[in-house]
Amino acid sequence: MPAIVACYKWVPDEEGIRIGDDRSVDISRARWEIGSFDRSAIEAAVQATEASGWTPVTLTYGGEGVEKSLKDALSRGPEKGYWVASDQQDQADGRATSKVLAAAAHTLDDVRLVVCAEGASDTYARQVGPRLGVCLGWPAVTSVLSFELGEDSATVVRKLEDTLQTVEVQLPCVLCVLPEGFEPRVPGLKAIMAANRKPKERIDAADLGADEAPLAERVSLEGFAMARKNLVIAEDDPAVAARELVAALHKEGVLS
């Protein structure tokens, strides 16, 4: 049976991230989870297999802590979870990640479709999906709002800035999906319990022979501080104050 692979990333929960007064970033108290955008990628793969009868599986890449993500991923509908284990993932950029995922996908049987999020929840660099297509030698389609699978091709609706575009792409291919097109399901207790019994497979990155060396290196990380413009309207008459406020908003381009 053909397989659909949903790729995902294990990331710190945004609510647990703390930004210090010096803009330092502290993730020590953040719990880790499957990225919110990646949960939509898993949902897209599961929906597609429900319509096609193909087999949904998941694929992720990371250190020892990532193993605990497999149960959550499988509770969302896939039949098997693959984990490429490596302690180099923390330094990996989009190039390295796509090479590793492509090497892993090549070891799986009869993969006809790989689904990724449009971008990762932590960086949103939007690099892995298109690069994965290049590494696999498959066409890649980004900004995917919906799609239907045929025998040898997929009909894909893309959401662009001010329009929808429908394209047909040959299989196998890589699709990068938008979260608004695929609302992730919330696993129930039965699905969570069933996930414990589903097969999980560890793949050592060293065995794949993929180049994990990044070309981009993170040299610093700090929180973003937005400089807000404060406007004080010293006017007792509410009508006059309202007119001055509207005029100021027009001037700043907030109102047109």
Side-chain angles (χ1 to χ4, degrees), residues 46-120:
V46 172
Q47 288 184 16
T49 55
E50 289 172 344
S52 65
W54 296 357
T55 302
V57 301
T58 60
L59 176 62
T60 190
Y61 166 48
E64 295 299 325
V66 174
E67 184 176 11
K68 64 182 68 175
S69 73
L70 297 175
K71 178 180 177 180
D72 184 19
L74 293 175
S75 72
R76 299 174 182 278
E79 296 300 323
K80 185 174 183 178
Y82 294 91
W83 161 43
V84 181
S86 172
D87 59 4
Q88 298 187 49
Q89 190 275 332
D90 287 344
Q91 289 76 44
D93 57 4
R95 170 186 177 273
T97 300
S98 59
K99 284 182 174 292
V100 170
L101 293 177
H106 275 309
T107 69
L108 308 184
D109 293 332
D110 198 16
V111 177
R112 302 297 308 282
L113 176 66
V114 173
V115 183
C116 300
E118 181 73 7

Side-chain angles (χ1 to χ4, degrees), residues 29 43 81 162 233:
R29 289 176 288 180
E43 179 64 29
D162 57 357
I233 300 176

Side-chain angles (χ1 to χ4, degrees), residues 107-181:
T107 69
L108 308 184
D109 293 332
D110 198 16
V111 177
R112 302 297 308 282
L113 176 66
V114 173
V115 183
C116 300
E118 181 73 7
S121 301
D122 55 349
T123 63
Y124 206 68
R126 304 174 72 182
Q127 291 287 307
V128 170
R131 285 180 177 273
L132 185 53
V134 172
C135 293
L136 291 169
W138 299 352
V141 183
T142 60
S143 303
V144 175
L145 189 63
S146 65
F147 64 92
E148 292 184 2
L149 298 177
E151 185 175 346
D152 298 310
S153 64
T155 302
V156 182
V157 177
R158 305 179 67 222
K159 182 181 178 182
L160 305 181
E161 184 175 352
D162 57 357
T163 189
L164 297 179
Q165 180 188 63
T166 301
V167 299
E168 185 174 348
V169 57
Q170 292 298 304
L171 298 174
C173 70
V174 177
L175 299 183
C176 304
V177 300
L178 295 170
E180 56 262 43

Side-chain angles (χ1 to χ4, degrees), residues 205-222:
D207 294 338
L208 295 174
D211 181 8
E212 293 186 80
L215 295 182
E217 178 184 358
R218 188 176 70 191
V219 297
S220 66
L221 178 65
E222 60 182 28

